[in-house]
Amino acid sequence: MIRMAPRFRLYRDRHKPFYYSLIIFSILALTTYIYLTFNITKLTEEKFVSYSYQDLDSETQHTFYKGCLDIKSYLNDASYRKSNASFVMLARNQELDDVLSTLCDIESHFNQWYHYPYVFLNDEPFTEEFKQRVRQNVTGSVQFGTLKELEWEFPNEVRETIEFTERIKDQADRGVMYGDLESYHKMCRFYSGLFYKHPLVRAYDWYWRIEPDVKFFCDITYDPFFEMERNGKEYGFTVVLQELYWSVPGLFRATRSYIRNNKIKLGSLWKLFAGSFEYAQTNDKYLEKTVLDEKLLKEKLEEKIKIDRLLQKTQKDDVDLNNKDDIGGLNHLINRAQSKVPIFDDKIDNEVFNLCHFWSNFEIAKRTVFDNPIYDEYFKHLEASGGFWKERWGDAPVHSLGLALTLDIEQIHYFRDIGYQHSTIVHCPKNAPQELQLPYIAGYDKFSKKDSKYYDPPFNVGSGCRCECPSRHLDIEDTSYPCMDFWLELAHGIEENTNFGDGEYFPYVDLDQREEEMKNEFYSNV
């Protein structure tokens, strides 16, 4: 299985005592915020445990711009061109207040300068009040669309069965989050494979998905659509985290069957979501199935070397039961005879789903990452399996696995500089150094903002522009284990135990060669 790379694990583990001491001191003194503000440089020099206090950029994965840009100069640059893009929001009439809250944030932090249009979708017609209030609060054009019954409802041959009702009830009985809400199942299905087919969405090359009642905390002074296109990126995220297992127990199996049946050549993004069991290359079938990481490699090879030596001495009738190595070899032989090859219930095609996924309530993406034959057929395959109602497959893990069918890691962008909150999950970056901050200039009087003294303090490796983060928030960067670790390993090209060529995993370690090395060391010490 993939493990966190040493350089990042070191930062997390080495400073745990310091971290806990700091928390205790801060609670006693009631000065957590002040302490962090005035000791920020010291924490950086010591490589503080939290990812949110580190510079995570790599050569291929880095923030487009740190801090603020002069928007007027950016817009007037001869190389700049506005993209064929829009915001997309699925909303209900009764969510108007939450919709307006989101629009206030996205307009004041970005769209008041760039005026991108909006597409609003609903399973029933929007009211005139909804349309009027939305138009009054945005600076771009607005289109309102109503979903057809086939886009929103499950097919009749499914919807009218007793099994459909019973499966939904069963998820409620088992406590699957949102599993008892038909509307949630419909929403996940719609966003998984139908939203990009809507004519209003299909009119654009790029989209930025937003939701009712989300928060944005930093100014975005560049055009994300333009920068994505210019830098060869096709999908952007702000949060990567793990899904609840019991909402998607059959999703990975259905995905692997689609890959196998259609001989899909996977993109390297697949490594972010699937752990490979193909760690070691060897002719020894027992070791091939039991050696899954470096720790087991050393343990199992040491066992094998001692067993082989014991058997050699047995043939020569030279076994000495007073010799600790001979006794050790005998014990290893007995243990191996009694041991069983480990069974992994969720292992499929020698892989397991690690449950990591991009949180799709924020997406900035090229429409064709989904609107293409491979993803279209993938959605049809999932639909036929019934997982959108038999289980509670969310559009986020479906999107993530679906993206990995075609994209490489280099085509993904982490919008680390965009502060974002949905529900209780928060990502809010540290502000870039003071010299990279610029005075706020509103595009419209109604967007005038607080004095700069209310902005968060600058940080030497920060990336944000004029961020105002929630007080004492716990950033998802620091709690999304192990997904953030996996992302950083791939971003920095330091995966520990998996190679990936021509869309397939291949073993990382030549076990026979490692055995020879360990055997030479072992015999030199005997």
Side-chain angles (χ1 to χ4, degrees), residues 81 94 103 195 258 269 365 382 486 510:
R81 64 183 182 280
Q94 59 267 34
L103 295 180
F195 83 97
Y258 173 73
L269 177 61
L382 297 184
F486 294 164
D510 185 334

Side-chain angles (χ1 to χ4, degrees), residues 1-3 252 256 270-279 292 346-356 401 486 497-498 505:
M1 297 293 293
I2 301 173
R3 294 290 184 266
F252 192 64
R256 283 300 325 181
W270 185 256
K271 288 185 288 186
L272 181 59
F273 311 121
S276 173
F277 283 80
E278 295 182 356
Y279 181 79
L292 305 176
D346 297 319
K347 184 172 75 169
I348 302 159
D349 293 341
N350 227 23
E351 291 180 331
V352 66
F353 183 27
N354 60 29
L355 299 177
C356 294
L401 292 173
F486 294 164
N497 68 339
T498 49
Y505 284 105

Side-chain angles (χ1 to χ4, degrees), residues 184-212:
Y184 196 86
H185 287 266
K186 293 173 184 177
M187 182 272 291
C188 291
R189 172 180 173 270
F190 172 75
Y191 264 132
S192 290
L194 298 168
F195 83 97
Y196 56 83
K197 293 181 177 296
H198 195 283
L200 294 183
V201 178
R202 232 171 188 172
Y204 298 97
D205 297 327
W206 294 83
Y207 74 92
W208 183 337
R209 176 174 162 181
I210 53 178
E211 300 278 334

Side-chain angles (χ1 to χ4, degrees), residues 372-427:
N372 63 72
I374 290 179
Y375 188 89
D376 272 344
E377 292 302 315
Y378 173 56
F379 173 72
K380 291 176 183 177
H381 177 81
L382 297 184
E383 175 93 303
S385 74
F388 292 109
W389 54 276
K390 292 180 180 179
E391 298 178 8
R392 203 233 68 198
W393 292 354
D395 52 279
V398 171
H399 276 197
S400 299
L401 292 173
L403 289 167
L405 301 179
T406 57
L407 297 186
D408 292 320
I409 196 73
E410 293 79 15
Q411 295 169 284
I412 308 299
H413 182 69
Y414 175 29
F415 280 103
R416 195 189 191 202
D417 56 313
I418 296 182
Y420 177 75
Q421 179 176 358
H422 177 73
S423 185
T424 59
I425 294 181
V426 179
H427 166 63

Side-chain angles (χ1 to χ4, degrees), residues 19-30:
Y19 178 63
Y20 295 139
S21 298
L22 176 60
I23 290 178
I24 294 171
F25 172 82
S26 301
I27 292 174
L28 292 174
L30 298 177

